[in-house]
Amino acid sequence: MRDERVRSVPLPTTSALAASYRGADLADAYAIALPEDCTSDIAALAKAALATQAPWVNALLGLRDAIMAPFGVKTSRQLGRRGAGRVGIFPVWSTSVDEIILGEDDTHLDFRASVLRRPAKTGSELVVTTVVHCHNMLGRTYLAMITPFHILVVRSGVSRAARRGWPKALNNSLSNSE
């Protein structure tokens, strides 16, 4: 039986974000084992983990937007309007075969998230890494306030995706129907 628990892991050295870990105000990573029949499509995995959040997460985002908008911080609605290349509200910065980088730059901080599919002891696992660099006191204050929620939100999104079932791999084999 596969372990479907989300667990904290060391920052992945193979991530495209690895160079940005140094000096980060927040850098964390959470992983979960993927089932054998899971797709290898990194965009589909990222959407499964991050695009559909629990209702309590959406309520927290609404509260965050109401509190932070007067300070000039981009709201989730503003982030969500930024073109087609998104996973949930997060703009896509780059995509490779096994990793998708999401992020946003703002006056108070720069945020990046990686969704990385990598080999594990048995099969493969999905690792969600977050890196934040603050620019000023507003950024540091904001980060201090949201960090406990950030951890819950990331773990919840990945855990919900596992419970719903990860997207399946396409079966490309031809059946012998003669």
Side-chain angles (χ1 to χ4, degrees):
M1 175 160 218
R2 307 251 328 145
D3 183 1
E4 292 188 0
R5 291 174 295 166
V6 179
R7 63 200 185 287
S8 179
V9 295
L11 297 169
T13 58
T14 58
S15 171
L17 293 181
S20 67
Y21 299 159
R22 189 169 184 210
D25 294 285
L26 170 73
D28 60 12
Y30 298 93
I32 191 167
L34 292 170
E36 222 174 87
D37 63 347
C38 186
T39 184
S40 61
D41 180 344
I42 194 62
L45 293 171
K47 286 177 184 171
L50 301 176
T52 305
Q53 295 292 337
W56 65 267
V57 173
N58 293 327
L60 277 177
L61 276 175
L63 180 62
R64 171 243 183 237
D65 290 348
I67 293 169
M68 297 308 296
F71 295 99
V73 174
K74 293 174 187 166
T75 65
S76 54
R77 183 173 293 183
Q78 289 169 320
L79 293 173
R81 290 194 305 243
R82 297 189 54 137
R86 291 179 287 116
V87 173
I89 63 168
F90 305 112
V92 174
W93 282 69
S94 67
T95 304
S96 66
V97 172
D98 288 321
E99 185 174 33
I100 189 165
I101 304 295
L102 312 169
E104 185 64 39
D105 293 343
D106 210 334
T107 57
H108 65 300
L109 59 76
D110 294 342
F111 155 83
R112 296 291 180 277
S114 158
V115 179
L116 173 70
R117 184 179 165 275
R118 69 180 182 186
K121 289 180 183 174
T122 57
S124 61
E125 66 182 359
L126 191 75
V127 182
V128 178
T129 304
T130 305
V131 180
V132 177
H133 290 271
C134 296
H135 300 306
N136 52 36
M137 185 58 87
L138 175 60
R140 287 185 287 282
T141 302
Y142 172 77
L143 188 61
M145 290 179 358
I146 64 112
T147 295
F149 301 106
H150 155 77
I151 294 166
L152 293 172
V153 168
V154 172
R155 293 176 71 101
S156 169
V158 175
S159 182
R160 281 173 50 92
R163 284 193 312 274
R164 283 191 312 262
W166 294 101
K168 303 288 186 216
L170 296 177
N171 186 352
N172 294 327
S173 64
L174 297 174
S175 63
N176 209 353
S177 57
E178 298 176 68

